Amino acid sequence: MRIGTGWDLHRLKEGRRLMLGGIQIPFHSGEEAHSDGDVLIHAIIDAILGAISLGDIGTHFPPSNTQYKDISSLILLEKTVDLLTESGYRIINLDTTIILQEPKLKPYIAAIREKLAKALTLDIDRISVKAKTKENVDATGEGKAIESMASVLIEEIDNSVWV
Ligand code: MG
């Protein structure tokens, strides 16, 4: 087994879409980014890449590459899972935290978990998504930014059963 952690932050900008785990959250601001800015998925990608010591999201999907402009982060996540599989590993479970001042995410957590379960082809009970505020402290607490953290546990795929 191996473990990986990821963290990401994006500025929030008026008029941008707020994307979290592939779900669009109704809000007046969203992540400023080259891609769709899905801060939760970016943290998950870094956690997976970290677990297999394969660098980070910027290494694999550089913002300088126009191919990734406004791309859905779900596609980047699926490419990352392909790298994980090619490395001979699969996810055991994923735990995440989104940190933002507003809006309240409780009504959307189930949909986010479902979307991630599909993208990762994992049972939903192996995926945890939590949300908390920053108590009005610092840029995130003032609503200028949104952050996310992710931890992932992976295990080597046992091919012996197929031999
Ligand atoms: Mg990012």
Side-chain angles (χ1 to χ4, degrees):
M1 286 188 286
R2 302 176 67 142
I3 194 166
T5 66
W7 172 86
D8 195 25
L9 176 150
H10 282 261
R11 287 171 187 264
L12 285 172
K13 192 180 178 189
E14 196 73 36
R16 286 272 308 184
R17 292 187 306 164
L18 179 58
M19 297 301 296
L20 290 171
I23 299 288
Q24 187 175 346
I25 311 294
F27 195 51
H28 56 78
S29 300
E31 297 106 331
E32 194 174 14
H34 184 72
S35 66
D36 69 356
D38 195 314
V39 72
L40 174 59
I41 291 184
H42 294 182
I44 294 169
I45 289 174
D46 265 0
I48 294 171
L49 292 173
I52 45 177
S53 305
L54 268 189
D56 60 22
I57 188 168
T59 319
H60 293 271
F61 314 109
S64 55
N65 189 333
T66 50
Q67 183 188 345
Y68 300 123
K69 179 149 171 48
D70 297 325
I71 195 170
S72 165
S73 294
L74 277 171
I75 294 171
L76 305 183
L77 181 61
E78 279 162 12
K79 287 176 189 281
T80 305
V81 172
D82 288 345
L83 289 171
L84 179 74
T85 310
E86 285 161 22
S87 299
Y89 285 88
R90 67 176 161 221
I91 294 173
I92 295 179
N93 78 303
L94 170 70
D95 184 23
T96 66
T97 305
I98 305 162
I99 305 146
L100 80 173
Q101 202 54 41
E102 51 172 11
K104 291 277 177 236
L105 293 182
K106 202 174 174 193
Y108 311 107
I109 296 290
I112 293 171
R113 289 177 67 211
E114 245 168 69
K115 194 82 166 181
L116 291 174
K118 237 175 231 161
L120 298 167
T121 51
L122 268 185
D123 286 345
I124 197 162
D125 65 359
R126 289 172 183 261
I127 297 172
S128 155
V129 177
K130 312 182 296 296
K132 53 201 302 143
T133 76
K134 221 164 191 184
E135 299 284 345
N136 299 304
V137 174
D138 80 22
T140 299
E142 288 168 10
K144 293 177 184 162
I146 181 166
E147 301 172 41
S148 193
M149 301 192 302
S151 302
V152 67
L153 187 67
I154 61 170
E155 67 181 346
E156 222 166 327
I157 298 167
D158 180 7
N159 289 315
S160 58
V161 290
W162 305 109
V163 178

